[in-house]
């Protein structure tokens, strides 16, 4: 990466008035830090990096970009260039460029390749120098439905069916925190018939999730010794159709909620971390329920969403899969003629004519662009309930679910691999992470 060759980035600096904003840009446009600042900003936009971290060490500035949840190293910058660049970024963001110790936050806007973006910059002195986070603020859609998130069409009515309970009953939504944990929860709540139902989400006052339209949020404050049970007596008077809890309390409290659900015939939805549906179920049992049977009888099903990166459609590489691989993925032999793998760019790569290869313009050489959700929907059955009480372990329950024609997370992912949306390598990474 050439930090001396400026990119055509137009900055709008922080400031109270247009004049102040213009002056802030003018002040830095002649600085030796201006070109590297444009290069970093352009690179972050180009890579779709929602976060770029600049680590200032005594020798140099280490740079990494977070793209679709994974870190990619950038080309390090010498310390002096880095110092000039940071002064420019801080000036644009309206923070004090001379202050290298305090935690400072600011914002600026950019226009690059006719697209407008907003950046937030957070800087903080650390013992070895300074750490700077550059957040790219994409305008994300306000709410993604489960289909937007990647659920196959035929699963949607099955999900709605399991979540639609006329009397008491429970449904569990799971994902890995930090990997679509909020999106999965919001998407699942949205997919039920919330417009005709009276919904309430009961959540800790400090952990309120972005609001789902038409769902009332009721908070409790654990610092005041309140729990998820505290608001319930008042709420029940309002005859809610569904109560939803994004954080599972301990086993004893969960049991109390179970009693409320049965006594008042109120369906309840819960959210809990899980790597797959059975893992989420086991984690719920592991909370220490006094009577697991009572709770399992209430549970209608478990939804788990995991995220995989999507192959870049511009540079993905086609290959003929080995029959053994298809068998391992559970894909029909003879029907899948080709699969795809990523083309991961490395500097110095040569093509067949010994010419240096340029990184792909669509994915910056990462090989992937964007993410999609893989959904697993587990329907609770009597044999599964009995097994979960008798031998609550992953291997036993997975084997039983398979026997009962349950479609596992891996099988769901295989379908997405067969469609060429993601790769076998990415599935393995997801399963191991
Ligand atoms: Zn590409």
């Amino acid at each position: 990466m050439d930090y001396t060759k400026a990119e055509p980035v137009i900055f709008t600096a922080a400031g109270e008035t247009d004049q102040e904003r213009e002056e802030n840009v003018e002040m830095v446009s002649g600085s030796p830090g201006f070109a590297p600042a444009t290069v970093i900003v352009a690179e972050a936009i180009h890579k779709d990096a929602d976060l770029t971290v600049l680590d200032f060490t005594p020798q140099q500035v280490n740079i990494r970009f977070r793209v679709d949840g994974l870190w990619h190293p950038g080309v390090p910058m010498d310390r002096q260039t880095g110092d000039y660049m940071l002064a420019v970024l801080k000036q644009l963001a309206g923070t004090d460029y001379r202050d290298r110790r305090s935690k400072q936050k600011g914002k600026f806007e950019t226009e690059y390749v006719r697209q407008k973006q907003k950046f937030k910059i957070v800087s903080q002195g650390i013992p070895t120098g300074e750490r700077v986070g550059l957040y790219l603020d994409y305008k994300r859609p306000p709410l993604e439905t489960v289909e937007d998130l990647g659920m196959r069409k035929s699963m949607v009515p099955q999900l709605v069916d399991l979540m639609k309970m006329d009397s008491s009953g429970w449904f569990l939504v799971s994902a890995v925190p930090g990997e679509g944990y909020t999106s999965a929860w919001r998407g699942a709540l949205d997919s039920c018939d919330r417009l005709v139902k009276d919904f309430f989400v009961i959540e800790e006052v400090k952990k309120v999730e972005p609001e789902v339209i038409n769902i009332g949020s009721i908070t409790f404050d654990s610092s005041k010794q309140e729990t998820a049970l505290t608001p319930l007596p008042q709420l029940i008077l309002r005859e809610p159709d569904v109560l939803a809890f994004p954080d599972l309390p301990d086993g004893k409290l969960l049991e109390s909620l179970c009693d409320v659900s049965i006594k008042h015939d109120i369906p309840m939805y819960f959210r809990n971390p899980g790597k797959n549906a059975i893992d989420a179920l086991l984690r719920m049992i592991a909370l220490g329920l006094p009577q697991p049977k009572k709770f399992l009888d209430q549970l209608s099903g478990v939804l788990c969403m995991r995220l995989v990166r999507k192959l870049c459609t511009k540079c993905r590489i086609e290959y003929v899969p080995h029959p053994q691989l298809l068998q391992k993925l559970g894909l029909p032999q003879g029907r899948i003629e080709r699969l795809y793998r990523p083309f991961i760019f490395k500097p110095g790569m040569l093509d067949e004519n010994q010419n240096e290869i340029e990184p792909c313009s669509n994915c910056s050489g990462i090989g992937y662009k964007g993410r999609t959700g893989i959904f697993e929907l587990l329907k609770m059955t009597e044999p599964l309930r009995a097994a979960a009480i008798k031998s609550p372990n992953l291997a036993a329950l997975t084997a039983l679910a398979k026997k009962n024609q349950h479609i596992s997370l891996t099988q769901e992912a295989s379908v997405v691999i067969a469609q060429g949306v993601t790769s076998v390598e990415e599935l393995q990474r997801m399963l191991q992470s």
Side-chain angles (χ1 to χ4, degrees):
M1 200 179 301
D2 188 351
Y3 290 118
T4 58
K5 212 175 131 221
E7 292 276 346
V9 177
I10 303 163
F11 288 100
T12 305
E16 293 286 315
T17 60
D18 281 346
Q19 194 191 347
E20 203 180 308
R21 285 188 277 273
E22 276 163 31
E23 280 171 6
N24 272 336
V25 177
E26 259 169 52
M27 219 178 292
V28 297
S29 54
S31 157
F34 190 75
T38 64
V39 174
I40 285 294
V41 161
E43 187 71 11
I45 294 169
H46 203 74
K47 282 191 151 76
D48 277 352
D50 65 336
L51 173 59
T52 302
V53 172
L54 312 167
D55 265 317
F56 287 72
T57 71
Q59 297 79 31
Q60 62 180 22
V61 186
N62 296 317
I63 298 162
R64 57 201 156 105
F65 301 94
R66 189 174 69 186
V67 183
D68 295 329
L70 290 192
W71 290 103
H72 299 274
V75 178
M77 192 183 280
D78 70 83
R79 179 63 197 254
Q80 195 186 20
T81 307
D83 285 342
Y84 282 127
M85 172 192 69
L86 184 58
V88 167
L89 292 173
K90 282 181 171 179
Q91 183 76 32
L92 289 169
T95 64
D96 183 358
Y97 68 88
R98 288 156 303 198
D99 185 350
R100 307 290 306 259
R101 298 235 57 85
S102 330
K103 183 166 184 175
Q104 296 195 83
K105 286 182 202 173
K107 283 175 186 171
F108 57 81
E109 293 175 23
T110 59
E111 192 180 329
Y112 176 61
V113 208
R114 273 173 284 161
Q115 291 229 359
K116 287 188 176 172
Q117 308 284 359
K118 286 179 182 168
F119 279 90
K120 184 176 87 178
I121 176 168
V122 180
S123 58
Q124 164 91 67
I126 52 170
T128 50
E130 193 173 7
R131 175 168 282 180
V132 181
L134 209 50
Y135 295 83
L136 180 52
D137 186 13
Y138 271 99
K139 287 174 217 82
R140 293 187 192 282
L143 176 79
E144 288 170 299
T145 66
V146 280
E147 267 188 272
D148 296 338
L149 291 167
M151 184 179 282
R152 58 183 165 83
K153 259 199 169 68
S154 52
M155 190 187 274
V156 180
Q158 295 170 22
L159 171 70
V160 172
D161 208 39
L162 282 177
M163 292 184 84
K164 201 160 71 189
M165 291 170 274
D166 293 327
S167 58
S168 76
W170 286 13
F171 187 80
L172 179 63
V173 178
S174 69
V176 173
E179 265 187 50
Y181 201 50
T182 300
S183 313
W185 175 241
R186 295 181 69 190
L189 292 189
D190 172 71
S191 64
C192 355
D193 205 3
R194 59 181 166 71
L195 292 173
V196 294
K197 287 198 169 182
D198 231 353
F199 262 76
F200 291 101
V201 180
I202 293 100
E203 45 202 340
E204 220 289 322
V205 70
K206 287 174 206 77
K207 297 186 192 163
V208 175
E209 294 282 344
E211 193 189 333
V212 180
I213 307 141
N214 272 325
I215 297 183
S217 166
I218 306 292
T219 57
F220 61 90
D221 189 346
S222 49
S223 68
K224 291 181 187 156
Q225 265 71 52
E226 293 176 350
T227 70
L229 275 175
T230 313
L232 294 194
Q234 282 287 333
L235 263 179
I236 285 160
L237 296 176
R238 292 159 76 172
E239 297 182 354
D241 293 320
V242 177
L243 295 179
F245 301 85
D247 285 295
L248 276 185
D250 59 80
K252 228 176 125 201
L253 201 63
L254 200 57
E255 173 114 342
S256 310
L257 292 176
C258 194
D259 292 334
V260 172
S261 172
I262 294 168
K263 188 178 167 197
H264 298 278
D265 261 352
I266 304 173
M268 291 183 177
Y269 302 156
F270 295 92
R271 181 179 65 168
N272 201 32
K275 289 179 167 185
N276 57 56
I278 292 174
D279 179 48
L281 174 69
L282 289 170
R283 281 167 196 257
M284 205 171 187
I285 297 172
L287 287 169
L289 293 145
Q291 302 174 69
K293 186 178 182 317
K294 190 159 89 177
F295 140 75
L296 285 163
D297 283 344
Q298 283 288 97
L299 193 66
S300 71
V302 183
L303 176 74
C304 181
M305 183 186 90
R306 295 295 305 274
L307 292 175
V308 292
R309 292 178 298 164
K310 293 197 282 187
L311 282 164
C312 170
T313 47
K314 195 172 173 202
C315 66
R316 63 182 182 182
I317 303 167
E318 191 181 305
Y319 68 99
V320 179
H322 195 278
Q324 257 177 357
L325 175 65
L326 290 177
Q327 198 185 2
K328 220 175 135 197
L329 292 169
L331 292 171
Q333 313 263 338
R335 293 238 309 266
I336 313 288
E337 282 165 20
R338 60 188 69 84
L339 294 179
Y340 295 88
R341 62 166 65 101
F343 174 69
I344 298 163
F345 171 81
K346 288 189 186 71
M349 273 180 158
L350 301 175
D351 64 13
E352 58 265 36
N353 301 322
Q354 302 300 301
N355 294 319
E356 211 166 292
I357 294 173
E358 290 280 317
C360 165
S361 61
N362 186 43
C363 67
S364 312
I366 293 170
Y368 294 93
K369 193 156 177 106
R371 286 191 283 187
T372 185
I374 307 285
F375 286 91
E376 179 190 11
L377 186 60
L378 179 71
K379 188 179 175 196
M380 291 303 290
T381 58
E382 283 316 317
L384 198 57
R385 289 189 177 101
I389 295 167
K390 206 170 134 225
S391 49
N393 72 75
L394 194 63
L397 295 185
T398 306
L400 180 68
K402 194 177 172 188
K403 220 175 91 189
N404 291 341
Q405 320 299 320
H406 167 65
I407 305 170
S408 70
L409 187 72
T410 309
Q411 285 170 296
E412 294 283 359
S414 296
V415 177
V416 183
I417 292 171
Q419 290 163 342
V421 174
T422 193
S423 69
V424 177
E425 292 87 343
E426 179 63 3
L427 168 64
Q428 279 159 350
R429 189 194 64 79
M430 179 199 85
L431 292 174
Q432 281 157 16
S433 73

